[in-house]
Amino acid sequence: MRIITAALDLFGEHGVNGTSLQMIADALGVTKAAVYHQYPAKDDIVVAAIEVELAKVEAALDAAEAEESPPRARALVLAQVIDLAVERRTMVSAVQHDPVVVRLLAHHEPFRQLMARLSAVLTGPDPTVDRRVRAAMVSAALGGAVTQPLVADLDDEALARHLLTLAEQLLALPG
Amino acid sequence: MRIITAALDLFGEHGVNGTSLQMIADALGVTKAAVYHQYPAKDDIVVAAIEVELAKVEAALDAAEAEESPPRARALVLAQVIDLAVERRTMVSAVQHDPVVVRLLAHHEPFRQLMARLSAVLTGPDPTVDRRVRAAMVSAALGGAVTQPLVADLDDEALARHLLTLAEQLLALPG
DNA sequence: GTCTATACGCGGATAGAC
DNA sequence: GTCTATCCGCGTATAGAC
């Protein structure tokens, strides 16, 4: 678990390919071999790290899907996901687009289903093309906006508040 | 120039760290040494590749900044940038968040100025916090949304049209 | 669980011939 | 401009002792 924490920080800063097992071991003050004892291969560390983060998204989805009203479900998920992204700005944005992560996730069925659930909540029950593009934009914007220099000076609370308002506004369909 | 083209494709697929000079050389059907003859180091290839792409953004900015009306300038830039992003979906999204690229761009003054100009056009002459968050979201959304599975089935023209409408909507300030 | 030691390949990079 | 050949370091991974 300490390995996962250290790995996520390093992945965020250097990317997965840019993070060696030596770096992870150094961050923990142990040797590479000690790390290998817990995870037989580097990919296993990556998968475990992603799972930890996605578990939080899954919890948010579970709560949201218990809601009756789609707009209310959407609001719940947005608030949670935004908090997660804002809290760990660098890591979320970097890992989300990392080619290694993308490849692992594309082949990982549980993750694909999770993303499908997230998309469904964001688009609502009637996923027109317009709503799908909106949902895609919001997904990308939440993960990506948090690292923009433009908003680097905003504290977490303020950034999260603005993002939530604007994401809601973009998803609401006065189009 | 062929090197840059090949490199950009590979960077998009594997990330910068995941792309070796051997891969680039193989893609061109030459040896590593031949590549080194034109670019003394890998970083030089990365910088050159980024410059090629950013030159297109710069051209759009030049045209836009000649406009009198800020909203009209914004619309011009948006249309251009969206076309660029949609046209080369994978590459733009991957390279934009690549840790190596991010680090190079953070230390490269011409790049920083270009990004500042882009931000200025997106926020308009009065960059309130609200407008800055909107601009950050749009920046992130344009580069990131194009690779979302949600919109993978849309053709370039349709995706670009929707993105432009929604980006405009998000930037317009009925907030 | 953690260590030392080591294998093996591939990474970036260079020298020098054609 | 492109080649062959080579250097060196670091990457992942394993073996085996404590």
Side-chain angles (χ1 to χ4, degrees):
Chain A
M1 195 72 239
R2 290 181 58 230
I3 292 181
I4 300 303
T5 309
L8 276 172
D9 286 341
L10 289 165
F11 290 164
E13 191 172 356
H14 306 285
V16 174
N17 270 324
T19 302
S20 68
L21 292 174
Q22 187 67 65
M23 292 183 200
I24 298 175
D26 287 349
L28 299 173
V30 298
T31 61
K32 285 191 286 183
V35 176
Y36 269 104
H37 181 263
Q38 302 186 46
Y39 294 94
K42 187 181 178 182
D43 270 6
D44 296 324
I45 300 179
V46 179
V47 169
I50 301 171
E51 277 170 353
V52 166
E53 289 305 300
L54 289 189
K56 302 176 187 171
V57 176
E58 186 161 27
L61 278 172
D62 287 340
E65 287 171 352
E67 280 290 328
E68 303 266 322
S69 134
R72 179 118 189 81
R74 194 179 68 200
L76 264 174
V77 164
L78 276 180
Q80 294 279 344
V81 169
I82 286 173
D83 280 347
L84 290 175
V86 168
E87 201 174 295
R88 315 209 42 184
R89 304 190 186 191
T90 320
M91 191 277 290
V92 168
S93 152
V95 171
Q96 193 176 26
H97 293 86
D98 190 288
V100 178
V101 175
V102 167
R103 192 154 309 180
L104 278 174
L105 266 51
H107 300 344
H108 196 331
E109 199 48 39
F111 169 76
R112 299 181 53 164
Q113 288 179 9
L114 194 67
M115 287 300 116
R117 286 172 62 193
L118 179 58
S119 298
V121 171
L122 292 184
T123 58
D126 178 23
T128 61
V129 169
D130 183 67
R131 287 202 188 87
R132 278 161 48 209
V133 178
R134 286 169 193 260
M137 284 181 74
V138 167
S139 290
L142 297 188
V146 291
T147 51
Q148 297 275 339
L150 268 174
V151 297
D153 61 323
L154 300 186
D155 62 54
D156 289 1
E157 191 276 327
L159 180 56
R161 184 162 33 86
H162 278 89
L163 284 175
L164 182 55
T165 306
L166 291 168
E168 279 281 10
Q169 189 171 323
L170 185 56
L171 284 177
L173 51 154
Chain B
M1 194 73 244
R2 290 180 57 230
I3 292 181
I4 299 303
T5 309
L8 276 172
D9 286 341
L10 289 165
F11 290 164
E13 192 172 355
H14 306 285
V16 173
N17 270 323
T19 302
S20 69
L21 293 173
Q22 187 66 64
M23 291 183 201
I24 298 175
D26 287 350
L28 299 172
V30 298
T31 62
K32 281 194 288 183
V35 176
Y36 269 104
H37 182 262
Q38 303 186 46
Y39 295 94
K42 187 180 177 182
D43 270 5
D44 296 323
I45 301 180
V46 179
V47 169
I50 302 172
E51 276 170 352
V52 166
E53 290 305 300
L54 288 188
K56 302 175 186 170
V57 176
E58 187 161 27
L61 278 171
D62 288 341
E65 287 169 352
E67 280 290 329
E68 303 267 322
S69 136
R72 179 118 188 82
R74 194 180 67 199
L76 264 175
V77 164
L78 276 180
Q80 295 279 343
V81 169
I82 286 172
D83 280 347
L84 290 174
V86 168
E87 200 174 295
R88 315 208 43 184
R89 305 191 185 191
T90 319
M91 192 276 290
V92 168
S93 153
V95 171
Q96 193 177 23
H97 294 87
D98 190 287
V100 178
V101 175
V102 168
R103 192 156 307 181
L104 278 174
L105 263 56
H107 300 351
H108 199 88
E109 200 48 38
F111 292 158
R112 296 181 54 161
Q113 288 179 10
L114 195 67
M115 286 302 120
R117 286 173 63 194
L118 179 59
S119 297
V121 171
L122 291 185
T123 58
D126 177 24
T128 60
V129 169
D130 184 67
R131 286 203 187 87
R132 279 161 48 209
V133 178
R134 285 168 194 260
M137 284 182 74
V138 167
S139 289
L142 297 187
V146 292
T147 51
Q148 298 276 339
L150 267 174
V151 298
D153 62 321
L154 299 186
D155 62 57
D156 288 1
E157 191 276 327
L159 179 56
R161 183 161 35 83
H162 278 90
L163 284 175
L164 183 54
T165 306
L166 291 168
E168 279 282 9
Q169 189 172 323
L170 185 56
L171 285 176
L173 51 153

